[in-house]
Amino acid sequence: MRAFAAIFIKDILIEMRLRQVAPTMLVLAVVLVAVFGFFLEPAGREQAGQLSLAVIWLAVTFAALLAAERAFAAERESRTLSALLAAPMAPAVLLIAKCAFVLLLLIAVQALVAPLTLVFFRQTLAGPPHWLLLAALLGDVALALVATASAAMVAEARTRGPLLSVIALPLLVPVLLVVTQLFAELGAYGFSPRAAALTGVLAMFDVAFFAAAALLFPHIMEP
Amino acid sequence: MPEAPTTILLMERAGRMFGQRRAVADICLRADAGEAICVVGSNGAGKSTLLALAAGILAPDEGTVTICGERLDRSRQVRRHIGYMGDAPLVYDALSARENLLFYGRLYGLRHGSQRTDELLRQFDLHDRSDDPAGALSSGMRRRLDLARAIMHRPRLLLLDEPMNSLDPHGRQLIETLSAELCRTGSALVWTTHQPPQPSPMTGRVITITDGRLDGNLDAARANCRSDPEQ
């Protein structure tokens, strides 16, 4: 727990000092929302609701890729990964700390992008708030896990940006399909049996991604 | 009968490949408490790989590495006995010297990290620049900061990869004094250099590495890496 907190706080401190990721993520997300908001003209209220959900999650997905790509930047640039690998902690602790950092940034981006999108598409937040929050959190965790583990794989590659997208995006498609459907379901019918099933599927994605990432991470990280 | 010295590092036939290239092979090395070992070799001879295997940063493809009686691949906690300094400073440029040391202190679960940080900053003549970002320090100061980081948790095995690089005579003197002090208090030191070492308290036993293999008679080396003299 101490090692996790040390890495997590260190990453926040470095980001607060260098501001390498958060501003870029926010600008990208806002531009995406603005472009879609100005140029898409939904046929009706229902379509506008679906489009707004798609735009929110698209913006968050691209923000996640940006954040994850920079998640190992401090270690790559200062070559400190060796010192972390030599420390008496399980490699999964490093993964979880990096993932938590990406998740924090994602939540910040989502907190800005979601209301902005609703304004652009003239929508109101529909559905039970605590279930919507849970769905958003489960979706963000899946995005952060996949993006961070993929970023670890390509951390030493020269073309890590394109590689990251190629590895992470196919894995994220099912997550995005489920989370947008879940939001639509919660908005239309509240916490229905279908919403419960979709929440379960999303939670299973999180567990599966975490298990796979934790198993692969020690092999990925060895220089 | 005198008590046998405690074995701190034991590498038994350790080897490592990178793709098709064998970086080190058949490494048999034992470092006892209080012992200093200097590994000399030219660039690309395998010195850094040897230290990375001993530090647990790289896993051996063959053979084993044991630290203080525990296999490195079977316990993560045994790593708290290891202090590792790479060939380049392993510090975060955006963090100050103090923050770097505090970070590594937390990583190793130190209880009095702040106290130890102050102690090391004074010992390494960094207290005047302790709040400056590590990236703003001179290369020699970064090197000293890196050594302070490596010994922050009082390791029993100190691994130094080319420690004299970028250091002025004062820095070298500091490393030599500190290494001698560590050996006196029962730690073991393994360090590498590409130049023949000058006689000093940290030189200790000198071993040459060539093309990934430690020089000398292999049978003698294997005999030397047995932890139990009775074996």
Side-chain angles (χ1 to χ4, degrees):
Chain A
M1 194 60 194
R2 275 188 185 208
F4 164 81
I7 297 168
F8 182 62
I9 292 167
K10 181 266 296 172
D11 281 344
I12 292 174
L13 203 60
I14 290 178
E15 177 56 24
M16 281 167 66
R17 246 167 235 175
L18 301 181
R19 295 190 183 91
Q20 287 183 318
V21 197
T24 321
M25 287 170 73
L26 288 174
V27 170
L28 173 85
V30 170
V31 167
L32 258 172
V33 171
V35 167
F36 281 115
F38 276 122
F39 294 105
L40 287 181
E41 288 184 17
R45 189 172 168 72
E46 192 185 342
Q47 201 185 21
Q50 288 168 348
L51 264 177
S52 64
L53 287 175
V55 169
I56 290 171
W57 283 100
L58 205 58
V60 175
T61 303
F62 284 116
L65 293 180
L66 262 181
E69 207 248 309
R70 294 297 303 172
F72 293 94
E75 278 73 25
R76 189 176 57 240
E77 284 157 12
S78 54
R79 299 176 59 192
T80 44
L81 192 59
S82 305
L84 296 186
L85 293 176
M89 60 172 186
V93 175
L94 178 59
L95 170 74
I96 296 168
K98 293 288 177 188
C99 200
F101 175 65
V102 172
L103 182 64
L104 182 76
L105 291 173
L106 282 190
I107 291 171
V109 167
Q110 205 163 34
L112 178 85
V113 163
L116 195 67
T117 312
L118 295 174
V119 170
F120 266 113
F121 287 86
R122 294 180 194 86
Q123 294 289 304
T124 50
L125 193 66
H130 51 286
W131 289 113
L132 286 171
L133 276 177
L134 177 68
L137 188 65
L138 289 173
D140 286 346
V141 168
L143 288 183
L145 272 169
V146 171
T148 311
S150 307
M153 276 187 224
V154 300
E156 297 297 327
R158 281 187 195 163
T159 52
R160 54 188 163 270
L163 267 178
L164 176 59
S165 306
V166 167
I167 294 172
L169 285 175
L171 291 170
L172 289 176
V173 169
V175 176
L176 293 175
L177 289 176
V178 171
V179 79
T180 46
Q181 280 187 52
L182 175 56
F183 265 74
E185 184 72 18
L186 287 169
Y189 308 107
F191 193 67
S192 62
R194 184 161 180 266
L198 288 168
T199 306
V201 171
L202 207 49
M204 278 191 342
F205 275 140
D206 285 357
V207 173
F209 286 143
F210 176 74
L215 280 173
L216 290 174
F217 198 67
H219 306 287
I220 293 170
M221 289 319 290
E222 192 185 73
Chain B
M1 197 173 144
E3 198 177 320
T6 313
T7 300
I8 305 285
L9 167 70
L10 185 65
M11 297 177 83
E12 291 176 296
R13 305 206 63 183
R16 171 74 192 206
M17 291 187 77
F18 292 115
Q20 295 299 308
R21 189 176 65 83
R22 184 165 288 287
V24 291
D26 232 346
I27 298 290
C28 291
L29 183 65
R30 192 178 94 188
D32 290 333
E35 189 179 16
I37 296 175
C38 173
V39 181
V40 188
S42 55
N43 294 335
K47 305 184 294 292
S48 298
T49 306
L50 185 152
L51 285 199
L53 289 176
I57 295 165
L58 291 175
D61 295 327
E62 56 191 31
T64 58
V65 179
T66 308
I67 309 287
C68 298
E70 276 189 88
R71 283 263 300 265
L72 203 49
D73 55 342
R74 292 190 183 155
S75 162
R76 296 293 301 187
Q77 288 309 309
V78 75
R79 287 160 194 258
R80 65 178 61 253
H81 297 307
I82 306 169
Y84 171 76
M85 182 170 130
D87 57 350
L90 306 177
V91 293
Y92 291 91
D93 288 350
L95 300 182
S96 70
R98 179 183 301 280
E99 286 166 345
N100 266 293
L101 294 183
L102 284 172
F103 165 66
Y104 282 104
R106 287 191 202 108
L107 208 57
Y108 280 81
L110 290 194
R111 286 190 188 279
H112 304 290
S114 186
Q115 202 178 322
R116 176 79 173 142
T117 296
D118 288 336
E119 182 188 318
L120 287 171
L121 287 171
R122 268 195 303 278
Q123 191 177 356
F124 285 87
D125 288 339
L126 290 166
H127 53 289
D128 288 343
R129 306 282 304 271
S130 61
D131 294 323
D132 289 1
L137 300 178
S138 71
S139 56
M141 290 172 119
R142 283 162 55 83
R143 204 74 182 140
R144 275 186 271 152
L145 175 62
D146 197 31
L147 181 60
R149 173 202 61 75
I151 62 164
M152 177 81 185
H153 55 289
R154 295 188 175 88
R156 297 205 65 197
L157 172 66
L158 185 59
L159 305 164
L160 308 177
D161 197 0
E162 307 265 4
M164 299 306 182
N165 286 358
S166 315
L167 282 178
D168 56 15
H170 172 61
R172 288 171 189 226
Q173 179 68 45
L174 204 64
I175 287 199
E176 285 177 2
T177 312
L178 186 102
S179 304
E181 176 63 27
L182 277 170
C183 289
R184 203 164 35 244
T185 53
S187 295
L189 168 71
V190 181
W191 64 288
T192 65
T193 179
H194 59 272
Q195 291 173 329
Q198 302 294 320
S200 83
M202 73 181 282
T203 304
R205 184 152 59 102
V206 179
I207 297 174
T208 308
I209 186 167
T210 312
D211 293 331
R213 288 174 190 273
L214 294 180
D215 287 354
N217 182 292
L218 190 61
D219 292 333
R222 281 180 190 160
N224 185 40
C225 61
R226 280 186 199 138
S227 54
D228 178 3
E230 297 301 314
Q231 276 181 336

